[in-house]
Amino acid sequence: MVLREIAGENLLIPVGQTALKIHGMITLSESGLLLWKRLQTECTEDELVEALLTEYQVDRETAAADVKAFIRQMQEVGILEES
């Protein structure tokens, strides 16, 4: 996946083999963009929660739920694997 900003939108664009599985682009929210960038290096789910807590005024429970939802969505489309 390649991240591009187009017309103010943060888009994940499939390339290579991924483009054969995913037809279309994925739009990321601001928090989704933060998580995607953080996932470019190996990190834990707790580290992702901490990243949201640092950047946004949100409680830990909400941040944890958002991280779980983001990870689940990325796994469902096949662009994130658990290690």
PDB file of all heavy atoms in Angstrom, residues 43-64:
ATOM      1  N   CYS A  43       5.269  -2.398  16.292  1.00  0.00           N
ATOM      2  CA  CYS A  43       4.784  -1.831  17.549  1.00  0.00           C
ATOM      3  C   CYS A  43       3.671  -2.713  18.097  1.00  0.00           C
ATOM      4  O   CYS A  43       3.108  -3.528  17.376  1.00  0.00           O
ATOM      5  CB  CYS A  43       4.303  -0.395  17.368  1.00  0.00           C
ATOM      6  SG  CYS A  43       2.911  -0.215  16.251  1.00  0.00           S
ATOM      7  N   THR A  44       3.368  -2.503  19.354  1.00  0.00           N
ATOM      8  CA  THR A  44       2.315  -3.281  19.998  1.00  0.00           C
ATOM      9  C   THR A  44       1.004  -2.507  19.965  1.00  0.00           C
ATOM     10  O   THR A  44       0.982  -1.297  19.707  1.00  0.00           O
ATOM     11  CB  THR A  44       2.668  -3.579  21.462  1.00  0.00           C
ATOM     12  OG1 THR A  44       2.694  -2.336  22.187  1.00  0.00           O
ATOM     13  CG2 THR A  44       4.011  -4.285  21.588  1.00  0.00           C
ATOM     14  N   GLU A  45      -0.053  -3.227  20.262  1.00  0.00           N
ATOM     15  CA  GLU A  45      -1.364  -2.592  20.354  1.00  0.00           C
ATOM     16  C   GLU A  45      -1.349  -1.524  21.448  1.00  0.00           C
ATOM     17  O   GLU A  45      -1.922  -0.441  21.277  1.00  0.00           O
ATOM     18  CB  GLU A  45      -2.417  -3.658  20.647  1.00  0.00           C
ATOM     19  CG  GLU A  45      -3.827  -3.204  20.406  1.00  0.00           C
ATOM     20  CD  GLU A  45      -4.817  -4.344  20.476  1.00  0.00           C
ATOM     21  OE1 GLU A  45      -4.628  -5.363  19.779  1.00  0.00           O
ATOM     22  OE2 GLU A  45      -5.787  -4.205  21.237  1.00  0.00           O
ATOM     23  N   ASP A  46      -0.694  -1.807  22.563  1.00  0.00           N
ATOM     24  CA  ASP A  46      -0.595  -0.823  23.653  1.00  0.00           C
ATOM     25  C   ASP A  46       0.135   0.434  23.206  1.00  0.00           C
ATOM     26  O   ASP A  46      -0.227   1.548  23.607  1.00  0.00           O
ATOM     27  CB  ASP A  46       0.106  -1.427  24.870  1.00  0.00           C
ATOM     28  CG  ASP A  46      -0.774  -2.409  25.621  1.00  0.00           C
ATOM     29  OD1 ASP A  46      -2.014  -2.309  25.506  1.00  0.00           O
ATOM     30  OD2 ASP A  46      -0.222  -3.271  26.331  1.00  0.00           O
ATOM     31  N   GLU A  47       1.147   0.282  22.369  1.00  0.00           N
ATOM     32  CA  GLU A  47       1.867   1.456  21.860  1.00  0.00           C
ATOM     33  C   GLU A  47       0.971   2.298  20.954  1.00  0.00           C
ATOM     34  O   GLU A  47       1.065   3.533  20.949  1.00  0.00           O
ATOM     35  CB  GLU A  47       3.139   1.023  21.131  1.00  0.00           C
ATOM     36  CG  GLU A  47       4.198   0.487  22.073  1.00  0.00           C
ATOM     37  CD  GLU A  47       5.378  -0.137  21.357  1.00  0.00           C
ATOM     38  OE1 GLU A  47       5.185  -0.755  20.287  1.00  0.00           O
ATOM     39  OE2 GLU A  47       6.502   0.002  21.877  1.00  0.00           O
ATOM     40  N   LEU A  48       0.106   1.634  20.205  1.00  0.00           N
ATOM     41  CA  LEU A  48      -0.847   2.375  19.367  1.00  0.00           C
ATOM     42  C   LEU A  48      -1.838   3.147  20.232  1.00  0.00           C
ATOM     43  O   LEU A  48      -2.170   4.303  19.936  1.00  0.00           O
ATOM     44  CB  LEU A  48      -1.587   1.421  18.429  1.00  0.00           C
ATOM     45  CG  LEU A  48      -0.744   0.731  17.359  1.00  0.00           C
ATOM     46  CD1 LEU A  48      -1.579  -0.288  16.605  1.00  0.00           C
ATOM     47  CD2 LEU A  48      -0.119   1.740  16.416  1.00  0.00           C
ATOM     48  N   VAL A  49      -2.296   2.517  21.304  1.00  0.00           N
ATOM     49  CA  VAL A  49      -3.208   3.192  22.235  1.00  0.00           C
ATOM     50  C   VAL A  49      -2.508   4.416  22.822  1.00  0.00           C
ATOM     51  O   VAL A  49      -3.092   5.512  22.881  1.00  0.00           O
ATOM     52  CB  VAL A  49      -3.679   2.233  23.352  1.00  0.00           C
ATOM     53  CG1 VAL A  49      -4.433   2.988  24.433  1.00  0.00           C
ATOM     54  CG2 VAL A  49      -4.545   1.120  22.767  1.00  0.00           C
ATOM     55  N   GLU A  50      -1.268   4.251  23.242  1.00  0.00           N
ATOM     56  CA  GLU A  50      -0.510   5.376  23.811  1.00  0.00           C
ATOM     57  C   GLU A  50      -0.348   6.505  22.800  1.00  0.00           C
ATOM     58  O   GLU A  50      -0.415   7.678  23.162  1.00  0.00           O
ATOM     59  CB  GLU A  50       0.862   4.905  24.310  1.00  0.00           C
ATOM     60  CG  GLU A  50       0.805   4.063  25.563  1.00  0.00           C
ATOM     61  CD  GLU A  50       0.188   4.774  26.764  1.00  0.00           C
ATOM     62  OE1 GLU A  50       0.393   5.998  26.929  1.00  0.00           O
ATOM     63  OE2 GLU A  50      -0.525   4.095  27.525  1.00  0.00           O
ATOM     64  N   ALA A  51      -0.154   6.157  21.535  1.00  0.00           N
ATOM     65  CA  ALA A  51      -0.026   7.180  20.492  1.00  0.00           C
ATOM     66  C   ALA A  51      -1.301   8.004  20.386  1.00  0.00           C
ATOM     67  O   ALA A  51      -1.250   9.235  20.270  1.00  0.00           O
ATOM     68  CB  ALA A  51       0.309   6.521  19.148  1.00  0.00           C
ATOM     69  N   LEU A  52      -2.465   7.341  20.439  1.00  0.00           N
ATOM     70  CA  LEU A  52      -3.738   8.074  20.402  1.00  0.00           C
ATOM     71  C   LEU A  52      -3.916   8.938  21.640  1.00  0.00           C
ATOM     72  O   LEU A  52      -4.384  10.073  21.555  1.00  0.00           O
ATOM     73  CB  LEU A  52      -4.915   7.111  20.259  1.00  0.00           C
ATOM     74  CG  LEU A  52      -5.105   6.439  18.911  1.00  0.00           C
ATOM     75  CD1 LEU A  52      -6.347   5.550  18.927  1.00  0.00           C
ATOM     76  CD2 LEU A  52      -5.205   7.447  17.788  1.00  0.00           C
ATOM     77  N   LEU A  53      -3.555   8.391  22.795  1.00  0.00           N
ATOM     78  CA  LEU A  53      -3.696   9.152  24.044  1.00  0.00           C
ATOM     79  C   LEU A  53      -2.812  10.393  24.046  1.00  0.00           C
ATOM     80  O   LEU A  53      -3.198  11.437  24.576  1.00  0.00           O
ATOM     81  CB  LEU A  53      -3.358   8.265  25.250  1.00  0.00           C
ATOM     82  CG  LEU A  53      -4.354   7.150  25.552  1.00  0.00           C
ATOM     83  CD1 LEU A  53      -3.802   6.233  26.639  1.00  0.00           C
ATOM     84  CD2 LEU A  53      -5.705   7.721  25.960  1.00  0.00           C
ATOM     85  N   THR A  54      -1.635  10.280  23.440  1.00  0.00           N
ATOM     86  CA  THR A  54      -0.706  11.411  23.371  1.00  0.00           C
ATOM     87  C   THR A  54      -1.217  12.498  22.430  1.00  0.00           C
ATOM     88  O   THR A  54      -1.113  13.685  22.720  1.00  0.00           O
ATOM     89  CB  THR A  54       0.679  10.922  22.903  1.00  0.00           C
ATOM     90  OG1 THR A  54       1.170   9.974  23.855  1.00  0.00           O
ATOM     91  CG2 THR A  54       1.660  12.078  22.784  1.00  0.00           C
ATOM     92  N   GLU A  55      -1.810  12.071  21.322  1.00  0.00           N
ATOM     93  CA  GLU A  55      -2.219  13.011  20.276  1.00  0.00           C
ATOM     94  C   GLU A  55      -3.603  13.620  20.500  1.00  0.00           C
ATOM     95  O   GLU A  55      -3.845  14.767  20.131  1.00  0.00           O
ATOM     96  CB  GLU A  55      -2.189  12.298  18.923  1.00  0.00           C
ATOM     97  CG  GLU A  55      -2.408  13.196  17.745  1.00  0.00           C
ATOM     98  CD  GLU A  55      -1.260  14.156  17.491  1.00  0.00           C
ATOM     99  OE1 GLU A  55      -0.121  13.885  17.902  1.00  0.00           O
ATOM    100  OE2 GLU A  55      -1.525  15.208  16.869  1.00  0.00           O
ATOM    101  N   TYR A  56      -4.517  12.850  21.099  1.00  0.00           N
ATOM    102  CA  TYR A  56      -5.901  13.293  21.230  1.00  0.00           C
ATOM    103  C   TYR A  56      -6.355  13.263  22.685  1.00  0.00           C
ATOM    104  O   TYR A  56      -5.868  12.472  23.478  1.00  0.00           O
ATOM    105  CB  TYR A  56      -6.832  12.388  20.400  1.00  0.00           C
ATOM    106  CG  TYR A  56      -6.475  12.364  18.938  1.00  0.00           C
ATOM    107  CD1 TYR A  56      -5.770  11.296  18.390  1.00  0.00           C
ATOM    108  CD2 TYR A  56      -6.821  13.423  18.106  1.00  0.00           C
ATOM    109  CE1 TYR A  56      -5.430  11.278  17.039  1.00  0.00           C
ATOM    110  CE2 TYR A  56      -6.485  13.413  16.762  1.00  0.00           C
ATOM    111  CZ  TYR A  56      -5.787  12.342  16.241  1.00  0.00           C
ATOM    112  OH  TYR A  56      -5.452  12.325  14.913  1.00  0.00           O
ATOM    113  N   GLN A  57      -7.314  14.098  22.987  1.00  0.00           N
ATOM    114  CA  GLN A  57      -7.902  14.111  24.327  1.00  0.00           C
ATOM    115  C   GLN A  57      -9.027  13.086  24.358  1.00  0.00           C
ATOM    116  O   GLN A  57     -10.189  13.402  24.107  1.00  0.00           O
ATOM    117  CB  GLN A  57      -8.414  15.501  24.685  1.00  0.00           C
ATOM    118  CG  GLN A  57      -7.314  16.499  24.867  1.00  0.00           C
ATOM    119  CD  GLN A  57      -7.854  17.837  25.343  1.00  0.00           C
ATOM    120  OE1 GLN A  57      -9.054  18.048  25.468  1.00  0.00           O
ATOM    121  NE2 GLN A  57      -6.943  18.747  25.608  1.00  0.00           N
ATOM    122  N   VAL A  58      -8.642  11.858  24.651  1.00  0.00           N
ATOM    123  CA  VAL A  58      -9.578  10.744  24.657  1.00  0.00           C
ATOM    124  C   VAL A  58      -9.194   9.830  25.819  1.00  0.00           C
ATOM    125  O   VAL A  58      -8.033   9.777  26.202  1.00  0.00           O
ATOM    126  CB  VAL A  58      -9.530  10.007  23.291  1.00  0.00           C
ATOM    127  CG1 VAL A  58      -8.172   9.412  23.031  1.00  0.00           C
ATOM    128  CG2 VAL A  58     -10.607   8.976  23.184  1.00  0.00           C
ATOM    129  N   ASP A  59     -10.176   9.135  26.366  1.00  0.00           N
ATOM    130  CA  ASP A  59      -9.870   8.240  27.474  1.00  0.00           C
ATOM    131  C   ASP A  59      -9.288   6.931  26.940  1.00  0.00           C
ATOM    132  O   ASP A  59      -9.433   6.602  25.761  1.00  0.00           O
ATOM    133  CB  ASP A  59     -11.119   7.979  28.335  1.00  0.00           C
ATOM    134  CG  ASP A  59     -12.233   7.324  27.549  1.00  0.00           C
ATOM    135  OD1 ASP A  59     -12.178   6.096  27.376  1.00  0.00           O
ATOM    136  OD2 ASP A  59     -13.147   8.058  27.103  1.00  0.00           O
ATOM    137  N   ARG A  60      -8.617   6.201  27.816  1.00  0.00           N
ATOM    138  CA  ARG A  60      -7.926   4.970  27.431  1.00  0.00           C
ATOM    139  C   ARG A  60      -8.892   3.941  26.817  1.00  0.00           C
ATOM    140  O   ARG A  60      -8.565   3.275  25.832  1.00  0.00           O
ATOM    141  CB  ARG A  60      -7.195   4.375  28.629  1.00  0.00           C
ATOM    142  CG  ARG A  60      -6.394   3.111  28.286  1.00  0.00           C
ATOM    143  CD  ARG A  60      -5.512   2.673  29.433  1.00  0.00           C
ATOM    144  NE  ARG A  60      -4.452   3.631  29.692  1.00  0.00           N
ATOM    145  CZ  ARG A  60      -3.315   3.719  28.991  1.00  0.00           C
ATOM    146  NH1 ARG A  60      -3.113   2.895  27.981  1.00  0.00           N
ATOM    147  NH2 ARG A  60      -2.396   4.604  29.301  1.00  0.00           N
ATOM    148  N   GLU A  61     -10.079   3.817  27.384  1.00  0.00           N
ATOM    149  CA  GLU A  61     -11.050   2.842  26.888  1.00  0.00           C
ATOM    150  C   GLU A  61     -11.432   3.137  25.434  1.00  0.00           C
ATOM    151  O   GLU A  61     -11.493   2.234  24.597  1.00  0.00           O
ATOM    152  CB  GLU A  61     -12.291   2.851  27.776  1.00  0.00           C
ATOM    153  CG  GLU A  61     -13.317   1.811  27.412  1.00  0.00           C
ATOM    154  CD  GLU A  61     -14.494   1.823  28.386  1.00  0.00           C
ATOM    155  OE1 GLU A  61     -14.265   1.703  29.597  1.00  0.00           O
ATOM    156  OE2 GLU A  61     -15.631   1.959  27.893  1.00  0.00           O
ATOM    157  N   THR A  62     -11.686   4.391  25.134  1.00  0.00           N
ATOM    158  CA  THR A  62     -12.039   4.785  23.769  1.00  0.00           C
ATOM    159  C   THR A  62     -10.868   4.565  22.824  1.00  0.00           C
ATOM    160  O   THR A  62     -11.043   4.037  21.717  1.00  0.00           O
ATOM    161  CB  THR A  62     -12.487   6.264  23.740  1.00  0.00           C
ATOM    162  OG1 THR A  62     -13.612   6.421  24.598  1.00  0.00           O
ATOM    163  CG2 THR A  62     -12.847   6.708  22.333  1.00  0.00           C
ATOM    164  N   ALA A  63      -9.673   4.955  23.256  1.00  0.00           N
ATOM    165  CA  ALA A  63      -8.484   4.769  22.419  1.00  0.00           C
ATOM    166  C   ALA A  63      -8.254   3.288  22.131  1.00  0.00           C
ATOM    167  O   ALA A  63      -7.972   2.907  20.991  1.00  0.00           O
ATOM    168  CB  ALA A  63      -7.262   5.380  23.103  1.00  0.00           C
ATOM    169  N   ALA A  64      -8.400   2.439  23.138  1.00  0.00           N
ATOM    170  CA  ALA A  64      -8.199   1.001  22.957  1.00  0.00           C
ATOM    171  C   ALA A  64      -9.235   0.421  21.992  1.00  0.00           C
ATOM    172  O   ALA A  64      -8.904  -0.393  21.118  1.00  0.00           O
ATOM    173  CB  ALA A  64      -8.255   0.286  24.298  1.00  0.00           C
TER     174      ALA A  64
END
